[in-house]
Amino acid sequence: DGTVSIAGAFTANGTGTITGGNEDVNRVTGVATTLTLSGTYAIDGTGDGHGTLELKAIAGQSTLITDYQLVLDSEGNARIFENNSTTTSTDVANTHGEGVVRRLVGSSFSAANFSGNYAFEFPGQDLAAKPAALAGMFNANGNQTVSHGTSDFNDAGALSSQPISGDFSFLSDNRGTMSLTFEVPNKPQVTLTFVFYFVSSSDLYVVEIDSATGTGLPTEFRLAGEMILQNPSTTFG
């Protein structure tokens, strides 16, 4: 029924079972946070790395079952695309998605891991289903503050360049929340709320979760992307 952005993390036990995890979702039809994950997977015995993945995302009394094809690389990461090929799939919206599953680097994270200068890009759509993208850099201080940032925003061709700042909180496992405030075309400023997942201290996945109380409908944009830590000894010119 429209675009969807999903970020999350799960544990695979090496023998075909997803033993736990969480995901956060921003759809046209609503934002859902902290969904519980379980599921199964299988890797083909030929050794070329292709296989299948079935995820069960639980929110209250509702369960969404989605099917993916995948291929592994030599580091244990996977490229996936959704095809809902089994009769157990409950995705009645027939979502067609693709993405990356990355192996976590490190077994524990904290706010202190989010520290340094990060470059980022968050593409997506606005509420009118037109293309939007936010890109830039900022400094995270490892203690809840985001500052000294610059950003560029493009909302359906309306361009702006401005400072960006905010704050963040580490929650648990490899998950946290972040708010970013910046100016946008035709508005004084906007504050967007995101959930982030550590892949490592230098690589984080992000999805926006702004929604209306009660309805859960998106209220700002549908942005998602990645933040990459920059080498502090590198000077750009």
Side-chain angles (χ1 to χ4, degrees), residues 172-212:
S172 61
D173 297 324
N174 68 323
R175 183 174 179 270
T177 61
M178 174 179 66
S179 294
L180 294 177
T181 300
F182 59 99
E183 295 180 0
V184 297
N186 304 317
K187 288 184 179 181
Q189 65 179 26
V190 64
T191 298
L192 302 183
T193 304
F194 300 86
V195 168
F196 63 80
Y197 287 86
F198 286 104
V199 178
S200 68
S201 296
S202 59
D203 189 0
L204 298 89
Y205 285 148
V206 177
V207 61
E208 184 195 349
I209 58 167
D210 295 294
S211 64

Side-chain angles (χ1 to χ4, degrees), residues 50-234:
H50 79 272
T52 58
L53 169 68
E54 183 172 87
L55 287 179
K56 298 180 180 179
I58 301 172
Q61 301 300 311
S62 301
T63 301
L64 178 66
I65 301 175
T66 50
D67 295 321
Y68 299 86
Q69 300 288 327
L70 67 83
V71 62
L72 295 172
D73 64 24
S74 59
E75 301 299 321
N77 306 311
R79 301 281 179 168
I80 65 172
F81 69 90
E82 185 175 348
N83 67 341
N84 293 324
S85 58
T86 71
T87 57
T88 56
S89 172
T90 59
D91 186 358
V92 295
N94 295 313
T95 308
H96 300 286
E98 59 83 23
V100 180
V101 179
R102 299 274 297 282
R103 183 193 295 272
L104 268 67
V105 180
S107 58
S108 63
F109 297 92
S110 68
N113 292 108
F114 194 18
S115 179
N117 292 328
Y118 289 81
F120 63 88
E121 183 186 28
F122 306 151
Q125 288 189 346
D126 62 20
L127 296 182
K130 295 181 179 180
L134 174 68
M137 64 78 57
F138 56 67
N139 177 268
N141 71 349
N143 187 27
Q144 301 187 324
T145 300
V146 172
S147 61
H148 305 297
T150 60
S151 67
D152 294 277
F153 187 63
N154 185 331
D155 183 6
L159 308 174
S160 62
S161 298
Q162 59 279 310
I164 190 169
S165 60
D167 54 53
F168 70 93
S169 296
F170 178 76
L171 300 177
S172 61
D173 297 324
N174 68 323
R175 183 174 179 270
T177 61
M178 174 179 66
S179 294
L180 294 177
T181 300
F182 59 99
E183 295 180 0
V184 297
N186 304 317
K187 288 184 179 181
Q189 65 179 26
V190 64
T191 298
L192 302 183
T193 304
F194 300 86
V195 168
F196 63 80
Y197 287 86
F198 286 104
V199 178
S200 68
S201 296
S202 59
D203 189 0
L204 298 89
Y205 285 148
V206 177
V207 61
E208 184 195 349
I209 58 167
D210 295 294
S211 64
T213 302
T215 65
L217 293 175
T219 56
E220 293 293 346
F221 302 93
R222 189 168 300 102
L223 303 178
E226 194 168 8
M227 300 186 288
I228 303 294
L229 180 67
Q230 304 301 291
N231 188 329
S233 64
T234 300

